[in-house]
Amino acid sequence: MIDGKRVLIILPAWNEQDGLPGVLKEIRTTLPGVDTLVVDDGSTDRTSAVAAEFGSPVAQLPYNLGVGGAMRLGYRYAFLHGYDVAIQVDSDGQHDPAYVPVMLEKLKEADLVIGARFAGQGDYTVRGPRKWAMSLLSVVLSRITRTKLTDTTSGFRASNKQLIEFFAQWYPVEYLGDTIESMVGAARCGFVVRQVPVAMRERTTGTPSASPIKATVYLGRAGLVLLLAMIRRMPKHLKALAPRRAGNGRVLTGQ
């Protein structure tokens, strides 16, 4: 527990047998009061075995669904086990768990907190069509969420108890659904989104998908995902899950 809250770190993992040991060790050292859940997204290597060897519970998917599918399972686990906070951390070493306390503090005035690159910390950069897409998404999603966002595709995220329940019932698994559509859906249902600046690190394992062709495809697909997220109907019962907040962002008493 941290500050009286039960915190679960969800690590979606696809063939991350090499990166997981270092990530789990760092989480255990930096955040001794939190629990972890490794969601093995249909790996063909020893991801599940390695996670278990390093003391983490493991949830296994029978085949690869992508980050969205893995996180949907993670949120359902967090909801069923009564966690107050769920934090998504990549299994490749890019996310520094030392920023988790900062994210938890920001959750006092928000339901979803994004660990944002391009917000004043670190020197992480992107170029070309991917940069254009990310800049456009930031402008549009800042309007939707009514707050300034600089990194709408970051996978370093913290969700409070109400949002855990929401995501346990509704979480998109399509391409970029875990970042763009999940944020749009949460904002449309009344959840508050904020960001905190973080420094991202170079991945310790895996190969980044960066090439001019892939970046151009990313630009087109990101725009399509955003359009679909805006026109998709949200079930009415999900909107009732968002807590009412005062003007200062604090949850109103009795809610």
Side-chain angles (χ1 to χ4, degrees), residues 90 95 108 112 238:
D90 286 353
H95 298 160
K108 293 179 180 179
L112 175 64
L238 293 176

Side-chain angles (χ1 to χ4, degrees), residues 127-162:
R127 298 180 178 83
R130 180 173 286 269
K131 180 178 181 180
W132 307 337
M134 295 176 76
S135 297
L136 176 61
L137 289 170
S138 293
V139 171
V140 175
L141 288 173
S142 291
R143 288 179 177 273
I144 295 172
T145 59
R146 300 180 181 179
T147 189
K148 183 178 180 180
L149 300 175
T150 62
D151 189 8
T152 55
T153 61
S154 170
F156 195 10
R157 302 178 169 216
S159 303
N160 66 8
K161 194 177 186 71
Q162 289 80 13

